[in-house]
Amino acid sequence: KTVEVENPLVEVTSKILITPTSETELVLAVTEKTEKSFTVSAPKVVESDISFDWWMVNEEKAENHGEKH
């Protein structure tokens, strides 16, 4: 029902998109994010593996150096 994906670049505020790459009628969701990992869950236990691709975006806060834009 869940799988943990570890990556040293994951942050609690990361945006993570999941795309199934095998046939499934189930919706996959990122249900937890921690520093360095995230959890992908399905709504019920599955009989066979569901493969998926994922893409992560981290936001960087802009620093204000007194410059006018």
Side-chain angles (χ1 to χ4, degrees):
K1 184 172 172 165
T2 65
V3 64
E4 183 178 6
V5 179
E6 295 183 7
N7 184 297
L9 300 177
V10 175
E11 300 173 0
V12 174
T13 57
S14 297
K15 308 297 184 209
I16 302 170
L17 305 170
I18 303 294
T19 304
T21 57
S22 58
E23 277 194 42
T24 181
E25 294 180 6
L26 300 176
V27 175
L28 302 181
V30 175
T31 54
E32 184 177 1
K33 292 182 276 186
T34 63
E35 298 300 318
K36 302 184 181 179
S37 73
F38 63 94
T39 301
V40 176
S41 300
K44 62 181 182 177
V45 176
V46 295
E47 294 180 18
S48 59
D49 289 345
I50 301 172
S51 59
F52 60 88
D53 289 338
W54 58 274
W55 185 53
M56 177 182 67
V57 177
N58 286 330
E59 296 181 50
E60 291 186 17
K61 293 183 180 181
E63 293 184 28
N64 185 351
H65 295 288
E67 299 175 15
K68 293 183 179 179
H69 296 270

